[in-house]
Amino acid sequence: MKFDSTQQYVATDDLKMAVNAAITLQRPLLVKGEPGTGKTMLAEQVAESLGYPLIQWNIKSTTKAQQGLYEYDAVSRLRDSQLGDDRVHDISNYIVKGKLWEAFEAGEQVVLLIDEIDKADIEFPNDLLQELDRMEFFVYELQKTVKAVHRPIIIITSNNEKELPDAFLRRCFFHYISFPDRDTMARIVDVHYPGLAEQLVKEALEVFFDVRQVPGLKKKPSTSELIDWLKLLMADDVGARLLQERDATKAIPPLCGALVKNEQDVQLLERLAFMTRRQGRQG
C-alpha cells in the first residue's frame, strides 16, 4: 500500500515519492518547509490514505525525549504510600506511557507524528537516536524492554528554528516541501472550496503571489493563510471584480489581516503604495 493524495490534501509527485521511500527504507521522514505548507497535515493524510491510526506528539520548548518514552510519577506514589493506598505495591501504576510507547505497543501499524522537533532543546533529537533506530527502549523501574510490535511510520516536522544534529539527520529520509506554484495552489484551493468561481480564485492568487513577492517582507503569507483569506472573501462577498480593480491607491488588499501578520509588513506595503502613487503623479 502506497501513499497518494487524498480528498483533503494535494500531494506533489516528489512528496508522494518521499513518503513512500521513507516507508520502504523504514526510516523516519523528516519534513521541512515554510510554516503553513501542510507539514503537520501530511501526517494526518498519510494515516488516512493508508488506513492507519495517527499518534501525534506535539513538541514544545520544555519537552524532553524521556517524555516520549514514559514518566515515573514518584510524587503520586509517595502520596499514596502516606495514605496507605494498596496501589503503591505495584510500581506500574505510576508509570505514565509516552507517545513512543503507545506507538510501539499498538496492535497494528500506526503513523507517529513528532511535530516541530526543532522547538525542543538541541539534545532532544540525539536522545531519541537509539529508540528510533532499534525500535525499543528499557524501562528501569519495571526492569523490562519495550519493543515495537509493528514498526510505526514516523513523520518528523521541523520549521528550521534550530539545526538538527548530523547523527540524527543520517537516520532520516529528508524532504523539503517547496512552496506550491500557482497551478498546485489552485488545486489546493479547489480541495478546500470546490466550485469556487474561477475568476475569484484567479484574482485572489494574483494578489496573494504579488504580496509574497514584495521584497523585504518579514513574513510571507502561507498556504493556510490564503485559505483563511479566501474564506473571508466569500463570507464578505468580496468579488473578483474588486480584486481585479485594485490599483496603487489601495495600500493593501481587502481583509489583509488574514495575509499580513505584523505591523512592519503592513507599513512596508503602505510605503510601496505611497511610492507608486507619487511616481504616478510625477509621470
Side-chain angles (χ1 to χ4, degrees):
M1 188 179 294
K2 291 186 177 292
F3 167 66
D4 203 347
S5 294
T6 68
Q7 291 184 343
Q8 294 82 35
Y9 193 88
V10 175
T12 58
D13 288 341
D14 59 340
L15 177 56
K16 289 186 281 188
M17 188 178 299
V19 172
N20 291 317
I23 293 173
T24 299
L25 292 173
Q26 295 187 326
R27 295 275 189 184
L29 173 63
L30 174 61
V31 184
K32 291 186 179 183
E34 286 186 34
T37 50
K39 300 185 295 296
T40 299
M41 192 177 181
L42 171 64
E44 299 168 359
Q45 298 307 311
V46 168
E48 180 176 323
S49 175
L50 301 178
Y52 295 158
L54 173 68
I55 296 175
Q56 190 164 338
W57 186 15
N58 297 306
I59 307 303
K60 301 178 182 178
S61 59
T62 56
T63 304
K64 302 298 180 185
Q66 181 65 32
Q67 293 172 298
L69 308 179
Y70 70 93
E71 292 182 276
Y72 169 50
D73 190 352
V75 174
S76 292
R77 193 181 187 203
L78 175 61
R79 183 196 61 222
D80 288 348
S81 67
Q82 292 171 339
L83 296 173
D85 195 320
D86 286 340
R87 296 175 72 247
V88 298
H89 301 300
D90 185 355
I91 198 171
S92 65
N93 289 323
Y94 304 93
I95 299 294
V96 181
K97 297 177 181 179
K99 297 298 183 180
L100 262 72
W101 191 333
E102 186 181 337
F104 283 6
E105 72 174 4
E108 59 183 318
Q109 191 169 31
V110 302
V111 175
L112 172 63
L113 169 63
I114 304 177
D115 201 20
E116 298 188 331
I117 194 171
D118 52 320
K119 281 187 175 180
D121 184 87
I122 189 62
E123 290 303 319
F124 180 93
N126 282 334
D127 291 342
L128 289 176
L129 286 180
Q130 180 172 325
E131 289 75 14
L132 295 181
D133 235 5
R134 300 174 60 182
M135 288 287 127
E136 65 178 46
F137 60 90
F138 188 70
V139 184
Y140 293 95
E141 291 79 3
L142 301 180
Q143 288 295 297
K144 78 169 188 177
T145 299
V146 175
K147 295 184 178 182
V149 179
H150 303 281
R151 191 180 189 97
I153 296 170
I154 300 173
I155 297 177
I156 303 170
T157 71
S158 170
N159 286 324
N160 236 6
E161 292 182 11
K162 294 189 186 80
E163 289 294 325
L164 299 174
D166 288 345
F168 180 79
L169 294 174
R170 282 199 302 271
R171 289 163 169 82
C172 298
F173 189 94
F174 172 76
H175 182 74
Y176 183 87
I177 298 182
S178 301
F179 197 83
D181 58 25
R182 294 184 187 228
D183 290 341
T184 304
M185 191 66 82
R187 290 167 55 205
I188 292 171
V189 169
D190 188 58
V191 164
H192 288 271
Y193 304 119
L196 190 60
E198 185 177 334
Q199 191 62 27
L200 174 58
V201 174
K202 179 182 177 182
E203 295 301 331
L205 288 179
E206 284 293 324
V207 174
F208 175 75
F209 280 102
D210 282 351
V211 172
R212 278 187 59 85
Q213 290 168 6
V214 170
L217 207 63
K218 185 176 181 181
K219 183 193 179 305
K220 296 180 180 181
S222 67
T223 307
S224 61
E225 287 158 344
L226 170 64
I227 299 304
D228 286 345
W229 186 51
L230 279 168
K231 184 177 181 179
L232 288 174
L233 292 179
M234 291 186 295
D236 281 22
D237 199 23
V238 178
R241 186 175 178 181
L242 177 60
L243 295 178
Q244 191 174 21
E245 290 175 352
R246 69 191 186 280
D247 56 45
T249 64
K250 297 185 176 73
I252 47 181
L255 300 166
C256 72
L259 295 177
V260 184
K261 297 299 179 71
N262 60 69
E263 64 276 13
Q264 296 99 316
D265 288 344
V266 172
Q267 292 166 4
L268 173 61
L269 293 176
E270 288 174 342
R271 284 198 303 272
L272 290 173
F274 173 76
M275 291 169 61
T276 303
R277 288 198 301 271
R278 188 170 64 177
Q279 289 168 1
R281 293 193 199 101
Q282 292 172 348

